[in-house]
Amino acid sequence: MTSYRLPAGGRVARGESLGFHFDGRPYAGHPGDTLASALLANGVRLMGRSFKYHRPRGVLTAGSAEPNALVTIGEGGRREPNARATMVELSDGLIATSQNRWPSLALDLGAVNGLLSPFLAAGFYYKTFMGPARAWERLYEPLIRRAAGLGRAGEDSDPDAYEKTWAHCDLLIVGAGPAGLAAALTAARAGAETILVDEGAEPGGALLYETALIGGKSTDETLADMLAELAALPNCRLLSRTTALAWYDDDVFAAVERVRKAPGGPAERLWRIVAKRALLATGAEERPLVFGGNDRPGVMLAEAGLTYARRYGVAVGRRVAVFTAHEGGLRTAKALAASGVEIVETLDARRGARVVSASGGRGLVDCEIEDGGRRRRLQVDALLMSGGYAPRIHLACQRGGRPRWSEAHSAFLPPDDGLPFVCATTLADALDEGAARGAALVGEIGRKAAPAAFGAIDGDWTPSTDKPLWRVPGSRGKAFVDFQNDVQADDIALAAREGYDHVELAKRYTTNGMATDQGKLSNLNAIGLLAEARGVSPAEVGATTFRPFYTPVSFGALAGPHRGPHFQPVRRSPLDGWARRRGAVFVEAGLWMRASYFPRAGETHWRETVNREALAVRGDVGLCDVSTLGKIEIVGPDAGLLLDRVYCNGFAKLPVGRARYGLMLREDGFIFDDGTTSRLDDQRYVMTTTTAAAADVLRHLEFCTQVHWPELKVRVVSVTDSWAQMALAGPRSRALLQAICDADLSNQAFPHMSARAVTLLGWRVAARLFRLSYSGELAYEIATPAGEGELVAEALCAAGASPYGLEAMGVLRIEKGHVTHNEINGTVTPGDLGMGRMVSSTKADFIGRRMLAREGLQAPDRPRLVGLLPFAPQAPLRAGAHVLREGDEARLENDQGHITSSCYSPHLNSHIALTLVTRGEARHGETVQVWNALKNEYARARIVAPVFVDPAQERLHG
Amino acid sequence: MDDVYEAPDGGYRLRRLAQGRIWVAVSFGAPIDDRLAALTSGRFALRDAGPRAWLIVDDDIRPFAEAEKALAPEGALVDISHGRARYEISGPGARAKLATGIAVDMSPVAFAEGAACETMFNQIGVHLTRTGADRFEILTGLSFAESLWRELMS
């Protein structure tokens, strides 16, 4: 393999060799190389195939905006598609493969798309919708689907760890080029907490390949000095390999750091940085020129050519031409020649010398030049183009500010924000502006800083205001604007002709700027071409909306440690140990793990267990953990008043020592949550909420007390975790409880709905006792301090209480027609659930009162809660199944309602269900069909009252 | 769940503390700071927990009823003693570890000794207090105890 490595120069460690593979072939490079520089050094120019036309492509840039050289690196769980070869740091044993080609990069059958290009112009996909209708579904869509996508995602589990962290600073500087470093020195010397982030493997930005002298010293030397000083300052943090992704409100930034250093360490780290002030020193992006064949492997940006020479010691070709439309390009050509690269010709478009086409199948061979009216061919193996520079304004525009067109710069500048952006056209400016902004920004937060000063610059850039050349006149062949999405200059013109000439429409019509590089190299040229097509200034065309992220981010970085079983926290009840010791099977209920049922030896099916548990409760006594329900203490002189306003029924006059079931409505009149609130003292209530709605209810109460009625003297405090709470239910519950409780629990002394503090186990446990029943049996809810719950639970079990779980609790409550959030689904009113009489007509006001009175919420044909009994008792009725009149076809118009909760009742030996049925309260006894749409099964059932066991509630009041 | 965890690189140590007595003190509007100060004596016994709310974390304190009477009618108490897991994290790497989940600025200047706040460690609600140059106490609901311990481990 002939080497393109220059005899000397570059920042790579020439003494050390690293082996890697590309498309199965072995190559060697040096530490400090990127995959791109190492491939170029080995004479490899063909690195990929373009998305649509499968054109042979090589590397275009030396940095982050690379659109062409997208490869897949790694294998198995570490497989990463669409990696930019220019950003992949070479490591020993790296395995990389090219993408989007079959069977090989050199011979890709997909290239036939190039022949079909007249049919694949911009907008072709939309035109396939125009008919015939069946052709789209049968032919076009499957073909396009197969062709769509770039790269193939891995399917193995990623073995790497990812971290996330927050950081705070006085000044965040994005970009460690000359401007950023100057700002960092200024701020850090003044004692400001400074964070400097840079995308590159090495900090320095343009200083890594700049040729000018600073105070007589080379940029290498200057850079080394700057970095040494920053490293010694404890208040300055320099994050390399860290891409700033987004600038959010309140000066919060996101950045992702490519860590991957120590084995076992994280692959990436997501930074969320809260900065008091921020400075963007993000430099400028070079603009490609638009001419025929400008995508051939070997055509690159001029600064990229210089970077490969000076930073990596690689010549991009043996016969290199430079084609520029601005002054800066000439400087780059000179610097390149000085680095030992053979520059055969420099073409200045301003003087009429133009490249109108570049040719060469899998690599540039020659180009056609038009010069003063004459055409000639020039043999080259690399063509470096430069259309000018545009500042990288992305982060500055992400919060919605519109960028401003600058005629002088022929580019868009950030919205007029003032200090936070450095836009410099010379090295001297960059250093001075960086230092000045750094000083000004830390000055704003009270730190006096002297701007860092640097020596005079020798060989600096010459600022000039050259008119932009959006398209090379007379160019022949496909002239590319967006390389990654294969958008040509003709496509932009087509979009304008077809009426899609607004910049946002042209973007979607052509897909310009919509690839993974988000148009970093293409947006400005497209705007320029659109402006020319419309005959207006780019200022009038404007730019498309900038959005986070600046570059693609892996899901791993965003997830951090929260993946797999650790995706979200797990909450465990204080009785968790008790349940586990008794062999409970657990189920996820939100964040909680709840005991679902307690199988005993010999039981073969969960329903067997659940039936036994339910029978034990109604026949004897059972114990269930209800600690997960939300508990909120409401304290203060106005506690009762608050409750009166948030519940639809009355609570202010609830006597001390009593509990009451309450319905909380939303402002629109629908039920929000239900629960039981007890008055323990004059100014102390405790409210229970459903498990799922606990956080929402607390938030709602906080909103009420902080925003609606801040004048009320009341506070709410969550005590969910402080109390273990268990339900003891069944005919023997009183007997068991009385044995461990000193208080008189007779029916007279402790009637149904009592709530009082008691002591258990002979003064040992200070508990709260509530005579409530969810099961419909004689029952109590016992709240003990969390740490003492197991003691009490064990004592009750030792006395004969059978543990029962969530499933049996469900059976019992469905048998009694007690509702949960299956019924309270956000679309029901109290009247719908048969609780219309709970709504107070005497209270002055409560949340939901007005909207509940709307005729739609009071209409007689609303779905109402009923029960269903199947004709075939062993036929399951599934929640979600729809109710139809006998004989009606299963159509939306015939829908009578749907099942909200269902179970098998061991007391009725039948499946039963709670159901919302139109005018249900007037249809008891009616025979209906129950249609399970998922299985297309029908069952006949009878509408009954929504209570299946003990309708007279005799067991409750014993 | 062990009582002590040492981070492998030696950056910080995690220790489970005894729950002790933890009360929430609230004010209904009028300032009760003086009365709260009179109630508590221990260092870090009175901890800010949001607008007009405090945590009283102090084993050596008078009975609940008596304390509440001292605050009435402008304030009240809620006993949450059993409901919190209490951890101490200490060492030069303690702050950086906390920063992996907590968005609050915990620099010694912005969050001095005695400073406290209700915040979140990723998705878990916590109460944080700085109790030393390189030491913090972190409380969370008892149901989150295992999850938070696991998140705080390396």
Side-chain angles (χ1 to χ4, degrees):
Chain A
M1 194 98 348
T2 48
S3 175
Y4 285 70
R5 192 74 72 176
L6 292 166
R11 299 172 67 92
V12 296
R14 287 175 183 257
E16 211 185 308
S17 179
L18 300 173
F20 68 100
H21 282 77
F22 179 61
D23 277 352
R25 291 169 86 161
Y27 298 95
H30 299 300
D33 263 328
T34 59
L35 177 62
S37 68
L39 285 172
L40 287 173
N42 281 279
V44 176
R45 286 195 301 170
L46 181 58
M47 296 188 198
R49 289 273 177 168
S50 72
F51 176 55
K52 193 158 68 167
Y53 300 128
H54 288 250
R55 286 170 70 91
R57 290 284 169 83
V59 70
L60 189 68
T61 70
S64 179
E66 178 57 36
N68 282 344
L70 302 179
V71 301
T72 295
I73 57 172
E75 296 175 311
R78 294 203 167 91
R79 180 195 173 85
E80 191 186 326
N82 300 331
R84 294 154 290 166
T86 51
M87 299 299 284
V88 174
E89 287 178 60
L90 198 67
S91 57
D92 201 44
L94 177 76
I95 298 182
T97 46
S98 59
Q99 300 178 160
N100 203 43
R101 82 290 183 276
W102 188 84
S104 74
L105 192 52
L107 180 62
D108 177 22
L109 294 185
V112 71
N113 283 3
L115 300 173
L116 297 171
S117 60
F119 302 103
L120 296 176
F124 84 93
Y125 181 51
Y126 310 123
K127 287 168 182 154
T128 64
F129 299 161
M130 291 175 182
R134 283 183 200 271
W136 186 80
E137 200 177 322
R138 303 247 175 97
L139 178 64
Y140 297 129
E141 203 272 349
L143 279 177
I144 293 168
R145 177 176 294 279
R146 235 174 284 145
L150 190 65
R152 190 172 56 82
E155 285 167 40
D156 296 318
S157 182
D158 186 339
D160 284 328
Y162 295 82
E163 285 183 8
K164 292 163 78 163
T165 189
W166 289 88
H168 294 78
C169 62
D170 290 332
L171 180 63
L172 171 69
I173 302 164
V174 180
L181 287 165
L185 281 167
T186 303
R189 284 174 186 165
E193 287 292 328
T194 311
I195 296 180
L196 179 58
V197 302
D198 190 271
E199 213 177 13
E202 266 190 283
L207 294 176
L208 294 167
Y209 51 87
E210 180 48 71
T211 49
L213 295 178
I214 304 174
K217 292 197 283 189
S218 73
T219 49
D220 280 352
E221 260 188 272
T222 309
L223 178 59
D225 290 342
M226 286 169 144
L227 293 176
E229 187 182 341
L230 288 175
L233 289 165
N235 54 317
C236 181
R237 229 186 317 196
L238 169 57
L239 300 175
S240 292
R241 298 185 175 86
T242 303
T243 307
L245 302 167
W247 187 344
Y248 297 108
D249 289 335
D250 299 323
D251 291 337
V252 175
F253 288 77
V256 73
E257 179 187 359
R258 307 182 300 279
V259 185
R260 237 183 244 279
K261 278 185 219 128
E268 290 177 352
R269 183 178 290 120
L270 183 75
W271 289 83
R272 285 158 297 175
I273 304 173
V274 184
K276 292 205 181 84
R277 291 292 184 277
L279 178 66
L280 298 183
T282 40
E285 201 79 71
E286 200 174 21
R287 216 163 33 76
L289 285 167
V290 180
F291 56 90
N294 62 341
D295 69 324
R296 303 280 177 209
V299 180
M300 292 184 207
L301 292 174
E303 195 172 88
L306 183 61
T307 306
Y308 284 116
R310 285 189 53 79
R311 188 172 168 187
Y312 301 103
V314 176
V316 293
R318 298 232 157 83
R319 290 179 51 83
V320 181
V322 178
F323 175 31
T324 179
H326 72 117
E327 186 68 31
L330 298 176
R331 181 179 188 270
T332 305
K334 275 204 206 88
L336 207 57
S339 307
V341 176
E342 174 77 25
I343 307 291
V344 297
E345 192 165 342
T346 300
L347 299 138
D348 191 339
R350 298 170 300 170
R351 309 215 185 307
R354 302 193 294 267
V355 173
V356 294
S357 81
S359 348
R362 296 193 195 102
L364 187 62
V365 167
D366 62 18
C367 57
E368 196 178 348
I369 296 168
E370 201 178 283
D371 193 350
R374 293 174 303 117
R375 286 192 174 217
R376 59 184 163 92
R377 298 203 84 88
L378 178 68
Q379 273 199 313
V380 286
D381 61 352
L383 174 62
L384 301 178
M385 55 179 175
S386 185
Y389 284 94
R392 294 191 184 99
I393 58 173
H394 305 67
L395 291 175
C397 301
Q398 283 172 349
R399 284 157 302 151
R402 297 251 126 217
R404 301 165 288 139
W405 174 254
S406 162
E407 275 300 323
H409 296 89
S410 299
F412 283 93
L413 299 184
D416 192 10
D417 275 342
L419 284 179
F421 193 88
V422 174
C423 175
T425 50
T426 66
L427 181 56
D429 268 354
L431 291 166
D432 289 342
E433 278 295 304
R437 303 290 174 112
L441 286 168
V442 299
E444 278 187 359
I445 52 173
R447 263 191 209 279
K448 222 163 136 47
F454 306 89
I457 314 291
D458 188 6
D460 205 350
W461 297 75
T462 319
S464 58
T465 54
D466 295 307
K467 285 273 143 270
L469 183 65
W470 300 119
R471 182 176 185 165
V472 174
S475 100
R476 279 140 34 101
K478 290 189 169 79
F480 287 89
V481 179
D482 188 309
F483 295 88
Q484 204 175 124
N485 268 355
D486 273 344
V487 179
Q488 306 165 59
D490 286 345
D491 292 327
I492 310 282
L494 176 66
R497 276 202 311 277
E498 302 221 335
Y500 295 90
D501 58 358
H502 186 283
V503 68
E504 296 280 8
L505 292 178
K507 169 181 173 178
R508 275 99 184 148
Y509 193 77
T510 63
T511 74
N512 189 87
M514 293 177 69
T516 65
D517 64 345
Q518 290 290 283
K520 290 181 177 63
L521 298 179
S522 63
N523 283 342
L524 191 46
N525 280 338
I527 291 166
L529 289 168
L530 208 51
E532 274 183 358
R534 285 165 52 176
V536 299
S537 148
E540 252 186 80
V541 174
T544 53
T545 305
F546 291 85
R547 296 185 179 90
F549 301 119
Y550 179 65
T551 48
V553 184
S554 71
F555 278 101
L558 295 172
H562 300 117
R563 46 188 287 190
H566 308 306
F567 175 66
Q568 55 190 21
V570 174
R571 294 181 78 170
R572 295 204 173 263
S573 152
L575 296 176
D576 184 77
W578 164 82
R580 279 199 255 194
R581 282 193 300 274
R582 278 156 200 288
V585 171
F586 285 83
V587 69
E588 283 180 34
L591 297 182
W592 295 94
M593 293 301 286
R594 297 189 73 174
S596 185
Y597 53 94
F598 294 78
R600 287 210 189 135
E603 288 173 347
T604 52
H605 190 268
W606 63 266
R607 190 166 275 144
E608 207 186 321
T609 306
V610 173
N611 287 346
R612 172 186 51 76
E613 289 178 10
L615 289 166
V617 172
R618 294 215 191 279
D620 188 29
V621 58
L623 186 68
C624 180
D625 177 15
V626 294
S627 305
T628 63
L629 272 70
K631 307 170 207 65
I632 302 172
E633 271 195 39
I634 301 165
V635 297
D638 292 328
L641 191 49
L642 174 69
L643 290 166
D644 253 12
R645 292 182 186 181
V646 301
Y647 277 125
C648 73
N649 50 329
F651 275 85
K653 302 203 192 106
L654 183 66
V656 173
R658 299 291 294 163
R660 184 170 291 164
Y661 178 70
L663 284 181
M664 209 180 281
L665 307 186
R666 297 195 311 243
E667 301 229 9
D668 62 1
F670 292 98
I671 303 177
F672 172 37
D673 196 39
D674 69 339
T676 308
T677 295
S678 309
R679 189 172 199 167
L680 298 175
D681 208 338
D682 236 16
Q683 298 188 2
R684 189 184 301 269
Y685 292 74
V686 64
M687 171 191 288
T688 64
T689 76
T690 58
T691 301
D696 293 335
V697 171
L698 182 66
R699 190 182 311 130
H700 173 63
L701 293 177
E702 284 285 9
F703 190 82
C704 290
T705 56
Q706 291 185 37
V707 178
H708 289 322
W709 312 301
E711 73 283 359
L712 289 186
K713 290 183 166 33
V714 59
R715 297 299 297 269
V716 299
V717 179
S718 166
V719 294
T720 305
D721 281 334
S722 304
W723 298 92
Q725 193 142 335
M726 56 205 97
L728 186 70
R732 269 217 304 144
S733 55
R734 177 185 284 124
L736 250 67
L737 190 55
Q738 189 70 86
I740 62 166
C741 178
D742 291 320
D744 181 359
L745 297 179
S746 66
N747 202 24
Q748 297 79 3
F750 208 86
H752 181 58
M753 303 303 270
S754 298
R756 234 181 282 161
V758 300
T759 51
L760 304 177
L761 299 173
W763 304 102
R764 272 182 75 178
V765 178
R768 289 173 172 173
L769 186 62
F770 309 88
R771 189 172 155 188
L772 310 167
S773 180
Y774 193 45
S775 56
E777 297 302 309
L778 170 66
Y780 301 82
E781 278 190 21
I782 306 157
T784 74
E788 284 158 0
E790 289 206 353
L791 186 65
V792 173
E794 293 293 357
L796 290 169
C797 283
S802 309
Y804 67 100
L806 214 50
E807 285 293 331
M809 176 159 60
V811 169
L812 296 167
R813 70 101 186 160
I814 293 172
E815 287 176 340
K816 292 299 295 182
H818 291 159
V819 301
T820 61
H821 276 260
N822 285 14
E823 286 72 41
I824 301 174
N825 58 17
T827 68
V828 298
T829 64
D832 295 342
L833 300 182
M835 296 194 250
R837 281 174 311 173
M838 272 180 70
V839 180
S840 165
S841 51
T842 56
K843 282 199 295 187
D845 205 355
F846 55 86
I847 291 179
R849 180 173 148 269
R850 283 207 188 271
M851 301 281 263
L852 181 60
R854 290 179 292 168
E855 46 187 70
L857 273 67
Q858 300 295 324
D861 62 345
R862 286 183 65 81
R864 297 299 233 260
L865 188 69
V866 296
L868 275 186
L869 272 176
F871 275 53
Q874 305 307 312
L877 298 173
R878 303 247 185 252
H882 281 263
V883 172
L884 301 158
R885 274 184 292 251
E886 276 208 288
D888 268 358
E889 204 188 312
R891 279 200 337 261
L892 188 62
E893 299 79 38
N894 294 335
D895 187 21
Q896 299 298 298
H898 69 279
I899 294 178
T900 54
S901 303
S902 68
C903 69
Y904 181 80
S905 163
H907 296 101
L908 274 69
N909 290 314
S910 168
H911 285 269
I912 59 175
L914 293 176
T915 314
L916 286 166
V917 172
T918 307
R919 295 177 197 275
E921 79 283 14
R923 295 166 76 168
H924 294 187
E926 181 180 328
T927 303
V928 293
Q929 297 184 80
V930 177
W931 176 52
N932 179 345
L934 293 179
K935 296 204 167 174
N936 206 25
E937 286 170 352
Y938 291 81
R940 285 173 80 219
R942 200 170 71 249
I943 295 178
V944 297
V947 56
F948 301 87
V949 169
D950 182 27
Q953 298 194 319
E954 288 161 356
R955 295 159 163 260
L956 206 51
H957 295 284
Chain B
M1 199 168 77
D2 297 324
D3 283 338
V4 180
Y5 168 81
E6 301 265 4
D9 59 353
Y12 64 91
R13 160 200 260 216
L14 199 53
R15 205 159 65 91
R16 193 151 71 115
L17 304 176
Q19 283 174 319
R21 201 167 310 215
I22 308 176
W23 297 342
V24 175
V26 292
S27 149
F28 301 124
I32 55 170
D33 303 63
D34 293 340
R35 279 184 265 179
L36 285 170
L39 272 182
T40 56
S41 56
R43 214 166 161 230
F44 311 122
L46 190 61
R47 304 182 187 182
D48 188 20
R52 300 174 299 143
W54 300 259
L55 290 190
I56 297 178
V57 186
D58 195 350
D59 288 346
D60 180 22
I61 200 166
R62 67 190 83 165
F64 185 87
E66 205 184 305
E68 201 175 33
K69 224 161 144 196
L71 294 178
E74 284 84 356
L77 291 173
V78 176
D79 190 348
I80 59 166
S81 295
H82 280 253
R84 291 290 178 271
R86 204 168 149 189
Y87 303 139
E88 179 186 85
I89 182 168
S90 58
R95 182 184 156 198
K97 181 64 190 171
L98 289 175
T100 64
I102 293 181
V104 168
D105 186 354
M106 293 174 286
S107 66
V109 173
F111 204 76
E113 224 171 271
C117 64
E118 292 266 358
T119 181
M120 307 215 41
F121 189 93
N122 291 318
Q123 300 163 54
I124 302 175
V126 298
H127 183 273
L128 179 73
T129 310
R130 181 190 277 275
T131 55
D134 280 329
R135 209 171 61 235
F136 298 83
E137 219 179 276
I138 184 165
L139 285 82
T140 190
L142 193 63
S143 60
F144 287 103
E146 248 180 73
S147 279
L148 182 62
W149 184 266
R150 212 192 42 75
E151 290 231 26
L152 288 172
M153 284 166 59
S154 238

